[in-house]
Amino acid sequence: MKTPPPLDTHAHLAVDIDASAVRSLGAFVFAMTRSLDEFAAVSSRSDLRASWGVGVHPGLVRTIRAFDPTAFSRAVASAAVVGEVGLDGASRVPMAEQVRVFRAVLKELSRQPRVVSVHSSGAHFQLLRELHRTPVSGVILHWWTGSPELTEEAVRLGCYFSLPPAMMSSLDVIDLIPLERVLPETDHPYGDRRTSAAKQPGEVGEVEHRIAKLRGLEPRDVRIRFWRNLRMLVDDVDGRHRFGAAWQTTFEQLD
C-alpha cells in the first residue's frame, strides 16, 4: 500500500493560519484549541488535513471560569475531535474548578462520543479517577508522564497515548504502552522545541524512527500502524463520517 502522510494528533495552530500554510505542512493534524471562543474562531474552516478540536484548557483561569456546558455541547456537535481538555496539577485554577469542568466535558462525551485529547500534567491520578467515574471511549492521553503503575491502569482503561518528540527518552513509559495504543504528536510549539527536525506541526519523524527502533520495525510500518491505531479509535466512537474526505480516503487506503 501507499505510505500515508505523517499524522500529528496534537498540535497548536494559530486560528488565523492561512489554509495554504496548513496544506504546506504535508501532514494530517489534530489542531487543538484552548477555549470555546478559540474554537468558535475556527469552526467555519474547512481545512482538508486539519481537524480542529473543541478545547477547554485546564491551565486557563478565564476559560475554566467561563465554561458553559450548553455552549460546549453545541460546539461538540459540530466537531470531529475534542481537545485540549483535562486536568493540570500546576494550574492556577483550583483543582475543584478543573474537576467540575472536566466532569461536565466527560458527561457530554458520554452523550456525544468523540476522539478526545486529554491533558494530565501533574494530575495523573486525579485524571484516571475521573475516567473511572465517567468512562468514555476515544480517549488519547496527550504527552502522558504518569508512573508505571498509573500507565498500566490507563492501558487497562482502554486509553491511547500520543507521544511528542520530547518524550522519546522516556523509555520507562514508552515500554509499557502497547504499540496498538501509540499515536504520534508534536504538541507544537511545546513538545518539539528540542527536536533536530523542523519545528512545525506534523513533523513527527523523530517519533516514528524512535518507536521503529524500539520495536524492531521500519519507520514506514510504524507510520501505517499509527494510522491504523487512529482509525480504530475513530471507529470506537463511530466517528469516521465526521472527518473530511481526505481523512476518510486515508483511512480506507489502510486496508
Side-chain angles (χ1 to χ4, degrees):
M1 63 171 288
K2 181 180 178 182
T3 304
L7 173 67
D8 184 347
T9 60
H10 190 110
H12 296 274
L13 279 63
V15 296
D16 59 351
I17 186 173
D18 190 82
S20 63
V22 177
R23 291 193 298 271
S24 72
L25 295 172
F28 284 77
V29 179
F30 283 177
M32 300 292 105
T33 63
R34 300 188 297 171
S35 70
L36 296 182
D37 287 344
E38 192 174 324
F39 178 75
V42 300
S43 59
S44 62
R45 294 184 64 115
S46 55
D47 299 286
L48 294 178
R49 291 185 172 189
S51 185
W52 294 84
V54 182
V56 187
H57 197 288
L60 301 179
V61 175
R62 290 183 181 178
T63 293
I64 296 298
R65 289 180 177 170
F67 178 74
D68 179 350
T70 301
F72 180 74
S73 178
R74 288 196 298 266
V76 171
S78 68
V81 178
V82 170
E84 180 172 2
V85 299
L87 302 176
D88 189 319
S91 174
R92 292 186 295 115
V93 183
M95 185 55 68
E97 286 297 294
Q98 293 185 51
V99 168
R100 173 184 62 82
V101 170
F102 190 52
R103 286 180 177 177
V105 167
L106 293 178
K107 183 178 180 180
E108 189 58 44
L109 291 175
S110 69
R111 291 195 290 255
Q112 297 191 77
R114 295 291 188 275
V115 172
V116 53
S117 187
V118 180
H119 179 107
S120 59
S121 179
H124 306 99
F125 175 79
Q126 295 96 321
L127 188 125
L128 293 185
R129 183 172 58 189
E130 295 305 318
L131 292 177
H132 270 290
R133 183 178 184 273
T134 309
V136 297
S137 300
V139 173
I140 305 173
L141 297 177
H142 137 70
W143 199 340
W144 171 263
T145 57
S147 68
E149 294 79 13
L150 292 178
T151 302
E152 291 174 347
E153 180 62 19
V155 170
R156 284 192 291 270
L157 278 170
C159 298
Y160 286 61
F161 303 77
S162 57
L163 312 181
M167 269 193 74
M168 289 303 96
S169 61
S170 303
L171 299 184
D172 54 335
V173 175
I174 295 173
D175 286 346
L176 292 172
I177 303 173
L179 182 59
E180 62 269 21
R181 300 283 188 84
V182 177
L183 292 165
E185 66 162 74
T186 61
D187 194 21
H188 179 80
Y190 311 106
D192 58 356
R193 288 173 175 168
R194 298 181 180 178
T195 183
S196 58
K199 296 171 177 56
Q200 66 180 37
E203 188 55 65
V204 295
E206 186 174 337
V207 177
E208 293 175 343
H209 283 79
R210 183 61 166 163
I211 297 299
K213 184 176 181 179
L214 290 172
R215 302 300 168 97
L217 300 169
E218 293 298 319
R220 175 185 182 275
D221 296 327
V222 169
R223 181 179 297 180
I224 293 170
R225 177 75 264 177
F226 287 161
W227 269 101
R228 286 176 172 159
N229 291 350
L230 178 62
R231 183 177 65 176
M232 180 68 71
L233 188 64
V234 168
D235 289 347
D236 282 347
V237 297
D238 191 25
R240 205 184 294 195
H241 64 283
R242 298 189 182 91
F243 287 85
W247 291 83
Q248 294 188 42
T249 296
T250 305
F251 287 141
E252 292 164 2
Q253 291 173 343
L254 298 173
D255 295 321

